[in-house]
Amino acid sequence: MQAGIAAALHSHGIGKGCGETVRLRIGVVQLGVCLLIAAQPVLAAEGDTFTPYVGYGIYHDDNISRQPDDGVRSGDTWRKTTVGIRFDKEISRQRVRVDASLNDTRYDDFSRFDNDGRRLLANWNWVMGNRFSGNVGTSYIETLTPFNDVAADGTPLPSSVRTQRRSFANGGWHFHPAWRVTAGVSRDDVNYEDIPSARLSIDASEVGIDYIARSQNRIGLVLRHSDATYPNQLPGLGSDYTQDEVKANVKWRLTGKTDLQFLGGWARRRFDSQVGRDFTGPDARLTANWAATGKTSFTLAAWRELGSGIYRYDREAIVGEPDDLSSNYSRNTGASIKANWQATAKMGFDAMLQSEDRDYNRIDRSDRYRKSTLGMTYLPLRQLNIRLSVYDQRLNSDATSATTYRTKGFQIATRYEF
């Protein structure tokens, strides 16, 4: 079996040059396949509690080095193989969800970017009686540093495996049919394998109160405090900071087809020793969802937020991944529009336009970021998903010419669920 897998990987340009590293990577994929096969009997007995899956994708970027138009641009194509399993189970009134996967990524030309990644998302949605509920969860994501991650001075970060860990717990008490008090804590840790000084840890806590109407519309107030530290920072940098926020938290359905989400108010960031970089001002995000027809929907968003590794999330789940991880400070002002069209039961199309201006306070740098994507999703079978998409990404920066670039790319990704 191992020889067959090795041949298959080699045919796709994966595992060139035999040796212990290749055998280890083959073993990882082989283990994943064995786990999927072993899980098959469980599926028959447990229904959809366990869902093993495999994925394979081909990706291309024509400017991996993120060079300006007059620079030495280099593109590449890479292939990613994924094996994983998803667990979703309701136990009485509790619900447990886990998604774990391993992936193997190989580049055609830039073999130094080859990497093995891991991903784990776990959440326990707990309920106690009729008045108490919340979530406890963790996530672990190990992947290659994105090519567009750059330091505050505009220098691209070297290719390195980035590990993101997050643990959180939150809960709410319905002390009245229309009122709820909430509290939560979280810890985020981001580490770059080859850049120990860039490690970032954020401890956060929050309390809030919500008014919930009979229609389930919600309006509330949130107080949040964060402590960010760089445990391995170089002497004299003093990049640690604290942040306090007071924000309104609103989820409101205007009509049967339109709803609004708003999280915004005031934020204050104070650095331990960096003079002149403190910030106090508005910090908010507004999102509108509109189901125009039974097959067409739109999402519009506008924001003015402080960046630097703070997750955007609500009490139910993490929303996306942290951004601006490589920068200690940025004030991001932007907007986006997303459109989805479910043409048939098996085929859907989507498009997205995003524009964001990033101001790096008092370090003589500001960026303008633009991205557009166009995609198609096809489901030839209930278990099989095929995704095709193209993108155009631009960054204009006044820091250095090396941080102004344009890149285009595409992906063809498949996923089969057993």
Side-chain angles (χ1 to χ4, degrees), residues 63 67-73 401-402 404-405:
N63 188 14
Q67 293 295 308
D69 292 340
D70 57 355
V72 182
R73 296 163 58 93
S401 60
T404 295
Y405 68 84

Side-chain angles (χ1 to χ4, degrees), residues 79-397:
R79 294 158 176 80
K80 182 177 180 179
T81 304
T82 304
V83 294
I85 189 165
R86 189 174 69 250
F87 174 84
D88 191 338
K89 180 69 173 178
E90 288 192 24
I91 306 171
S92 184
R93 299 171 62 193
Q94 320 295 311
R95 185 169 187 177
V96 178
R97 286 180 281 192
V98 180
D99 192 326
S101 63
L102 304 173
N103 60 76
D104 179 271
T105 303
R106 296 292 168 260
Y107 287 76
D108 284 355
D109 298 322
F110 291 89
S111 58
R112 66 179 182 275
F113 293 151
D114 292 354
N115 67 92
D116 301 316
R118 291 175 285 177
R119 185 171 182 266
L120 170 67
L121 303 175
N123 186 80
W124 168 31
N125 180 206
W126 61 268
V127 178
M128 184 182 299
N130 297 321
R131 296 182 179 270
F132 297 91
S133 63
N135 292 274
V136 176
T138 187
S139 65
Y140 178 94
I141 302 173
E142 184 179 295
T143 186
L144 188 71
T145 303
F147 297 118
N148 54 311
D149 266 19
V150 295
D153 62 358
T155 305
L157 291 177
S159 59
S160 175
V161 173
R162 186 180 74 186
T163 302
Q164 303 163 215
R165 295 180 175 89
R166 175 175 174 81
S167 300
F168 63 92
N170 56 61
W173 172 36
H174 282 267
F175 65 93
H176 181 277
W179 292 91
R180 175 177 65 178
V181 292
T182 62
V185 294
S186 64
R187 179 177 177 84
D188 299 291
D189 192 273
V190 183
N191 187 54
Y192 295 84
E193 184 179 58
D194 299 326
I195 324 170
S197 61
R199 179 183 173 186
L200 169 64
S201 297
I202 302 177
D203 292 293
S205 58
E206 70 171 45
V207 294
I209 185 168
D210 295 328
Y211 170 75
I212 305 172
R214 291 185 178 181
S215 61
Q216 295 305 303
N217 288 333
R218 184 183 81 198
I219 182 169
L221 181 69
V222 178
L223 307 178
R224 181 177 172 86
H225 175 79
S226 304
D227 286 300
T229 59
Y230 293 79
N232 303 323
Q233 67 182 327
L234 300 176
L237 286 183
S239 300
D240 297 353
Y241 66 84
T242 60
Q243 181 166 316
D244 294 289
E245 304 166 59
V246 180
K247 294 183 176 180
N249 188 7
V250 180
K251 287 190 175 182
W252 205 269
R253 180 167 290 276
L254 297 179
T255 69
K257 294 185 176 182
T258 306
D259 66 79
L260 295 177
Q261 300 176 35
F262 176 76
L263 179 64
W266 211 255
R268 181 181 66 181
R269 181 174 293 185
R270 293 286 183 266
F271 287 84
D272 288 0
S273 59
Q274 293 193 15
V275 178
R277 294 192 62 194
D278 295 349
F279 170 84
T280 300
D283 188 274
R285 173 175 289 258
L286 174 66
T287 304
N289 299 295
W290 176 40
T293 69
K295 293 185 176 182
T296 307
S297 63
F298 297 89
T299 299
L300 292 88
W303 61 87
R304 178 188 171 108
E305 298 174 325
L306 285 170
S308 187
I310 301 296
Y311 278 83
R312 289 193 291 270
Y313 74 99
D314 59 24
R315 299 186 186 97
E316 286 74 35
I318 298 173
V319 179
E321 297 178 7
D323 40 27
D324 296 318
L325 291 170
S326 55
S327 139
N328 179 259
Y329 175 98
S330 68
R331 191 189 314 163
N332 306 330
T333 304
S336 68
I337 180 170
K338 299 178 183 179
N340 288 276
W341 175 41
Q342 193 64 41
T344 69
K346 293 187 175 183
M347 183 173 295
F349 297 88
D350 60 88
M352 186 273 291
L353 294 173
Q354 178 183 341
S355 175
E356 184 175 78
D357 292 332
R358 302 167 180 169
D359 178 24
Y360 296 81
N361 190 25
R362 293 178 175 85
I363 60 171
D364 194 26
R365 176 187 173 188
S366 61
D367 296 347
R368 173 163 291 183
Y369 175 78
R370 303 288 185 269
K371 186 175 183 179
S372 57
T373 63
L374 181 64
M376 181 188 76
T377 303
Y378 178 52
L379 285 74
L381 303 171
R382 182 179 62 85
Q383 308 97 321
L384 179 61
N385 178 303
I386 301 175
R387 167 76 177 170
L388 294 86
S389 67
V390 296
Y391 64 85
D392 186 307
Q393 180 177 304
R394 307 182 188 193
L395 180 71
N396 294 312
S397 177

